[in-house]
Amino acid sequence: MSKELSSLQQKTLDSLTRVDGNIWMMEYSSPYGLDALLAAGKTSLFGAVSFLQKEVKLPHLTPDPTHGGFACSSFNAKTPAGGCIFGRNFDFKAAPCTVVWTHPENGYRSMAVADNTFFLYGLKHARLERAKTPLRVMAAPYASMDGVNEQGLACAILEIKAKPTRQKTGKTPITPTVALRAILDNCANTEEAVELIRRYDMRDLLGVNYHYHITDAAGSSVLIEYVDNVMHVIDQSSPGAPQVLTNYFLTPGGDNRREMGRDRFDKITAALEKSGGIMTEADAMRLLSENTLNYHHKWMPHMVITLWSSVYTLHDRSMLLCAGMDYTKAYRFRLDAPCQAERC
């Protein structure tokens, strides 16, 4: 196994550590080829994997082509001290998650949370100790669903059950998780993130639509949606105001015939209005815990749960994380302290 890896890839793999039954963590020390992947403009999951195997020489990568079925919620708020926080629930089929630290040579350091099912090794490979399974975590930078970078910019991907975006305007294509990685690596604020995404043609994966919640340490927040292959940016009602996102279009004209999450949207919005848009980190985690999902999928043989709830404190680049629906165990992770988990 080690002969197939560079020294930095081996260092990355050696950092893989289990926090508990629901959380793993790793420091990604190896290059992961983002600039080359962006330039190549891959439009499918398998195309991206094939490219990474060739460009970054990642071995034995087999993506899990699971159909879309995320739920998810996100919101931003102010803290009593005037800082900014970003809360997010990631809802999908039950599996562990991995906290990933990256420090690209020509980009911003970041800390993100990756879904162990979406791109890495699948539910049946939840035990990372198994032979060959750990090699798949080398794709972790492109399996991240939310994260924060050293500039205090945070971003999350959420699903809409609608026709996938297939922009074809002549720009280089980009896919959702590659877009999130590009934002974390290259953008210091929401304005830069919007400008970056505008430079690409979005190509959604797994047969559904996605929208994005981006917020920064200055309190700016934007929502990005695609309606009929046209990008729309939803700004805050006023500077620093909270925004909420779940699983239906907020842009007029969006196809909400299969919408999800209006109840979660209303509950989170009501809580933010009651608090005046001000919440402590504990308040934010409590609100996330009150808006979880836990049900058996209608046609797939798995449970859909809130895999993790993350609360990012943007001014100090830290994250409070609860996973596997267990809110009795909370861990703090810090961007400046890779692979260290503090039990809270």
Side-chain angles (χ1 to χ4, degrees):
M1 181 185 300
S2 60
K3 292 181 180 180
E4 301 179 31
L5 301 171
S6 70
S7 60
L8 289 178
Q9 287 175 327
Q10 188 63 56
K11 181 180 179 181
T12 298
L13 190 58
D14 290 343
S15 76
L16 186 63
T17 306
R18 186 172 188 167
V19 178
D20 65 15
N22 298 307
I23 304 171
W24 292 77
M25 58 186 179
M26 68 184 299
E27 181 179 11
Y28 207 101
S29 301
S30 176
Y32 44 87
L34 175 63
D35 290 344
L37 183 57
L38 289 173
K42 298 301 177 180
T43 60
S44 71
L45 183 60
F46 287 96
V49 169
S50 177
F51 179 84
L52 290 170
Q53 285 177 308
K54 180 179 179 180
E55 179 71 21
V56 192
K57 296 181 174 57
L58 297 183
H60 304 300
L61 292 176
T62 306
D64 180 358
T66 307
H67 292 291
F70 309 160
C72 309
S73 309
S74 66
F75 64 90
N76 64 291
K78 291 282 191 179
T79 68
C84 301
I85 57 175
F86 181 59
R88 188 287 212 283
N89 276 347
F90 182 81
D91 310 318
F92 195 37
K93 67 179 182 179
C97 62
T98 301
V99 183
V100 184
W101 285 261
T102 56
H103 36 85
E105 183 177 354
N106 297 311
Y108 297 126
R109 295 176 296 119
S110 70
M111 173 178 63
V113 188
D115 174 17
N116 289 14
T117 297
F118 178 69
F119 205 121
L120 301 183
Y121 31 85
L123 181 60
K124 66 181 179 180
H125 296 300
R127 288 178 56 83
L128 299 188
E129 303 94 332
R130 294 182 182 180
K132 296 186 179 181
T133 296
L135 293 176
R136 299 189 182 190
V137 304
M138 299 305 294
Y142 302 108
S144 301
M145 300 296 164
D146 54 73
V148 65
N149 69 16
E150 64 180 281
Q151 297 295 313
L153 177 80
C155 182
I157 302 172
L158 296 87
E159 180 184 301
I160 305 175
K161 292 189 179 301
K163 184 179 179 180
T165 299
R166 293 283 190 269
Q167 288 187 309
K168 296 181 180 179
T169 69
K171 301 175 185 177
T172 301
I174 195 171
T175 54
T177 59
V178 176
L180 184 140
R181 175 51 50 195
I183 288 170
L184 292 178
D185 281 19
N186 295 291
C187 300
N189 53 51
T190 58
E191 182 179 359
E192 291 182 6
V194 172
E195 289 176 356
L196 184 149
I197 294 301
R198 287 194 191 280
R199 297 202 296 266
Y200 295 91
D201 276 349
M202 183 60 68
R203 302 289 180 86
D204 284 339
L205 303 173
L206 306 180
V208 291
N209 195 293
Y210 301 92
H211 52 179
Y212 307 81
H213 193 163
I214 309 169
T215 188
D216 62 33
S220 175
S221 174
V222 296
L223 311 176
I224 296 177
E225 297 186 332
Y226 293 86
V227 176
D228 294 331
N229 294 319
V230 176
M231 177 179 167
H232 296 265
V233 179
I234 303 173
D235 294 312
Q236 293 162 292
S237 58
S238 60
Q243 291 185 299
V244 180
L245 200 60
T246 54
N247 309 110
Y248 63 95
F249 285 106
L250 299 181
T251 302
D255 181 4
N256 284 326
R257 289 176 295 178
R258 299 172 61 202
E259 71 173 45
M260 290 179 58
R262 192 173 291 270
D263 55 340
R264 287 178 277 119
F265 181 95
D266 291 343
K267 290 177 183 177
I268 294 171
T269 299
L272 289 166
E273 290 176 349
K274 183 178 180 180
S275 70
I278 298 174
M279 286 192 168
T280 65
E281 187 182 54
D283 292 334
M285 183 60 75
R286 187 178 308 109
L287 182 56
L288 291 172
S289 73
E290 293 169 353
N291 287 277
T292 57
L293 291 185
N294 188 2
Y295 68 93
H296 195 280
H297 197 282
K298 292 181 180 179
W299 53 271
M300 294 287 286
H302 59 251
M303 295 298 295
V304 176
I305 69 166
T306 297
L307 270 67
W308 70 80
S309 298
S310 50
V311 177
Y312 295 92
T313 302
L314 304 186
H315 65 275
D316 68 1
R317 288 66 169 164
S318 70
M319 172 183 61
L320 190 66
L321 182 69
C322 295
M325 305 281 289
D326 186 355
Y327 293 92
T328 67
K329 289 192 295 186
Y331 298 91
R332 183 174 307 284
F333 300 90
R334 302 181 186 276
L335 177 59
D336 293 333
C339 289
Q340 295 182 35
E342 306 169 22
R343 181 71 182 271
C344 300

